[in-house]
Amino acid sequence: MERKPASGSLRNTKRSKKKFLEAVGKILKTKGFTGLKVNDIAAKAGVDKKMIYIYFGGMDGLIDEYISTQDFWMQATVEEVEKYKPQINIDGQSFVEDMLLSQLEYVYHNKEAQKLLIWGLSEPRKALKKLTDAREENGERLFKLMKETFGERLDEFRAVMAIMVSGMYYVNLYASMNGSIFCGLDLNTPKGREYIKRATSFLVKQTYKKLQK
C-alpha cells in the first residue's frame, strides 16, 4: 500500500511531462518556434508553468527534450541500417527512389518536421545540431553501403543526393509557407506533386545510369 502514492506520483509526472512536450509540438506547428513562450506552453498543456522548471530545469531543457524525442529522420542504429544492405545490393536504385519519395511525402504532411527544418536554419541550438548530426551519421551508414555500387564516384552520388534532398525540403516548405505555385507547378495538387515524384524517379535513374561502376 505504501508504494501506491509514489507510483501515482510517478504516473502524474510522466503524464504532465507528456502534456508539456505535446504542447510544444502543437505550438510549433501553428506559431513556429518564436511562439514557444512559457505561459503559452503551460496554458496549452493545462499544467502550472512552474512545473517546467521542476521537470525540465527551465525552457531550454523542455525545448531540448522535445527536439530529442522527434524522429522525423530515421534515427537508426548500425544494426538497423545493415538490414538494408541486401536490398541496396540487389536493387539500390529502387531503394534510393523509395527512400526519397517517402521523405518527400513525410515532410509534406508533417508540419512539425517543416517547422524544425526552418528552426534549424534560423537559430544555432545544440539540440538541433545534435539532431542534424544524428541524421548525417545515419546517412553516412547508408552511403558506405553504396560504396560497392559507385566506387570512386561515391562522392559524386553524395552531391546529387544533397541537391535532391535539399530541393525536396524546399518545395515542401514553399508549398506550405508562401504559396503553392513554383516553376508553374501547383505543389499542393496531386498533379503537381506527381510531376515532382516523376522528376525524382527520373533523376535517380539517370544518376545510377551515369555513376554506378
Side-chain angles (χ1 to χ4, degrees):
M1 294 294 291
E2 294 180 356
R3 294 184 178 179
K4 288 186 178 180
S7 177
S9 177
L10 181 60
R11 285 196 297 272
N12 289 336
T13 297
K14 289 182 177 179
R15 193 158 44 238
S16 295
K17 289 183 71 174
K18 183 180 179 183
K19 287 181 179 179
F20 278 127
L21 293 169
E22 290 176 344
V24 170
K26 291 175 182 177
I27 293 174
L28 188 63
K29 283 193 292 186
T30 56
K31 298 181 179 181
F33 66 92
T34 57
L36 295 173
K37 310 297 184 183
V38 172
N39 290 335
D40 292 343
I41 293 173
K44 179 71 71 173
V47 182
D48 192 321
K49 67 180 181 182
K50 71 180 181 182
M51 303 310 290
I52 291 177
Y53 300 91
I54 293 174
Y55 294 149
F56 304 98
M59 275 290 290
D60 282 345
L62 170 59
I63 299 303
D64 288 349
E65 183 160 337
Y66 167 78
I67 292 172
S68 71
T69 63
Q70 302 313 300
D71 193 24
F72 299 130
W73 300 276
M74 184 180 61
Q75 300 297 303
T77 63
V78 175
E79 292 74 18
E80 289 171 332
V81 171
E82 279 291 325
K83 73 183 181 182
Y84 296 113
K85 189 171 183 178
Q87 184 180 353
I88 291 173
N89 289 338
I90 294 173
D91 190 0
Q93 180 178 316
S94 294
F95 172 81
V96 171
E97 182 179 333
D98 290 345
M99 182 178 64
L100 290 173
L101 292 176
S102 294
Q103 190 173 51
L104 176 71
E105 286 301 291
Y106 188 78
V107 175
Y108 179 72
H109 292 290
N110 196 305
K111 297 298 181 182
E112 286 176 87
Q114 294 172 14
K115 298 296 185 180
L116 276 176
L117 283 168
I118 295 171
W119 195 358
L121 293 173
S122 306
E123 176 185 325
R125 192 180 189 91
K126 288 183 179 180
L128 288 168
K129 180 64 164 56
K130 185 176 180 180
L131 188 66
T132 301
D133 289 344
R135 184 171 71 243
E136 282 298 304
E137 289 174 6
N138 293 327
E140 184 59 26
R141 291 168 188 154
L142 288 172
F143 280 128
K144 286 182 177 178
L145 295 181
M146 298 173 185
K147 178 68 174 178
E148 294 182 13
T149 301
F150 297 103
E152 296 302 317
R153 305 195 75 176
L154 180 60
D155 283 348
E156 294 179 66
F157 177 73
R158 292 175 189 270
V160 173
M161 290 300 103
I163 292 172
M164 292 184 68
V165 171
S166 59
M168 289 192 301
Y169 287 165
Y170 185 82
V171 295
N172 276 324
L173 293 175
Y174 188 90
S176 177
M177 302 296 174
N178 291 320
S180 60
I181 306 299
F182 190 80
C183 291
L185 297 175
D186 189 340
L187 302 174
N188 283 325
T189 64
K191 183 177 181 180
R193 295 192 64 75
E194 181 60 29
Y195 279 120
I196 298 297
K197 292 177 183 178
R198 290 181 188 177
T200 299
S201 299
F202 172 79
L203 290 172
V204 172
K205 180 179 179 180
Q206 292 302 308
T207 299
Y208 266 78
K209 181 178 179 181
K210 298 293 185 180
L211 297 183
Q212 68 179 339
K213 62 181 183 179

